[in-house]
Amino acid sequence: MKKITTILNDFNELVMFKHSIFSLPFIFIAMIVSSVEVNGSPWFGFKLLILGVLAAITARNFAMGFNRYMDRDIDALNPRTINRPNVDGRVSATQMLVFVIANALGFIVVAYFVNDLAFYLSVPILFVIGSYSYFKRFSYLAHVILGISLALAPIAGVVAVSETITLWSILLSIGVMFWVAGFDLLYSLQDIEVDKELGLHSIPSKFGPQKTMLISKVFHALTVLFWLLFAISSNSGMSAYIAVIISAVMLSYEHYLVNKDFTKIDKAFFTVNGYLGIVFFFLILIDSF
């Protein structure tokens, strides 16, 4: 039992399972809004609830597992990542590959039981979320690719409930894309020197800290704009607009923390963004009644 627990903990650390907090709220935001449109109620049923959770977990496990598998050589040269399970031997390359394949197949199977459109989109979605691991090797736009990967979450949510892709879900997703890309830019400030040494491409290593923080601010301003357009397009009530306002305040606070002290990047990245998604979700849920 102890050995199993150790293995589970190692894989949990490998994929940073707690970071699911970034995408899960927006999957269910889309599912709730879509269910109100289709069913007249925010409740979309236990079947879609279970399948939605499984789809989110398997997709993210695939993406993170594949990224760790591809980056094991890079992570071994970065002091910040040298103690990760993919580097120190706790999880072997073979184990990671099996884990990645299992989660990819799991995601496709789950999508099959959701509906036809979800199934048809499952492989293209895996292709997109797996491509991030390659982009940073040749393009500084990798931050945007990561944003697109998480932005697929609301699209997946609306497809699961209504088997369509609506305008408001696209606007919500674009907001998620800029949100994720913006905070990934701040997080990447920690690796400027390492990226330069290893020849990796990132906006911080290409443009420097000050321009990176400016680009991040622009991205987060666009986040607020597209989430506002989402609220308008989905005919949402006052709670949705409050969610947008609170998001703007939290993102401003995030930039305040980083501008004040680079050592606060972890707090800005994990704490502020984690709470943002949760608050947004609950306010949309309240708005749906």
Side-chain angles (χ1 to χ4, degrees), residues 16 23 25 29 56 76 84 96 110 116 171 250 254 264 271 274 278 284:
M16 299 295 285
S23 59
I29 285 170
R84 284 178 176 173
M96 280 186 281
V110 169
D116 289 344
L171 295 170
M250 295 181 77
E254 177 177 357
K264 303 291 186 182
T271 308
I278 294 172
I284 294 299

Side-chain angles (χ1 to χ4, degrees), residues 16 18-19 21-22 187 265-275:
M16 299 295 285
K18 62 183 179 181
H19 291 181
I21 195 68
F22 298 137
Y187 191 70
I265 289 176
D266 274 358
K267 180 179 181 181
F269 182 78
F270 299 117
T271 308
V272 176
N273 289 298
Y275 280 120

Side-chain angles (χ1 to χ4, degrees), residues 132-199:
Y132 166 72
S133 300
Y134 289 100
F135 263 82
K136 58 191 168 187
R137 299 170 188 265
F138 63 85
S139 172
Y140 61 81
L141 294 178
H143 312 279
V144 177
I145 300 302
L146 180 63
I148 291 173
S149 297
L150 271 74
L152 291 172
I155 297 294
V158 71
V159 165
V161 175
S162 64
E163 206 168 350
T164 58
I165 299 176
T166 59
L167 174 61
W168 61 258
S169 68
I170 294 173
L171 295 170
L172 177 62
S173 294
I174 294 173
V176 171
M177 178 191 73
F178 282 119
W179 171 51
V180 173
F183 70 63
D184 188 58
L185 286 176
L186 299 179
Y187 191 70
S188 297
L189 289 169
Q190 301 173 99
D191 294 329
I192 291 178
E193 297 306 320
V194 173
D195 287 347
K196 288 180 179 178
E197 289 176 14
L198 300 180

Side-chain angles (χ1 to χ4, degrees), residues 140 178 181-182 185-186 203-204 207-222 255:
Y140 61 81
F178 282 119
L185 286 176
L186 299 179
I203 287 177
F207 297 104
Q210 297 307 317
K211 288 184 179 179
T212 295
M213 288 190 286
L214 176 60
I215 295 170
S216 179
K217 287 184 176 72
V218 172
F219 278 7
H220 283 158
L222 290 170
H255 285 275

Side-chain angles (χ1 to χ4, degrees), residues 51 54-60 62 100-127 129:
L51 291 175
L54 288 175
I57 291 174
T58 51
R60 192 180 179 283
F62 163 79
V100 166
I101 294 172
N103 278 280
L105 292 175
F107 177 72
I108 294 170
V109 170
V110 169
Y112 174 81
F113 285 104
V114 173
N115 57 49
D116 289 344
L117 182 57
F119 178 63
Y120 298 148
L121 292 175
S122 60
V123 173
I125 286 174
L126 290 175
F127 177 80
I129 63 179

Side-chain angles (χ1 to χ4, degrees), residues 6-26:
T6 300
I7 293 173
L8 291 175
N9 287 335
D10 289 340
F11 273 97
N12 176 54
E13 185 180 343
L14 178 77
V15 300
M16 299 295 285
F17 188 75
K18 62 183 179 181
H19 291 181
S20 299
I21 195 68
F22 298 137
S23 59
L24 271 175
F26 286 93

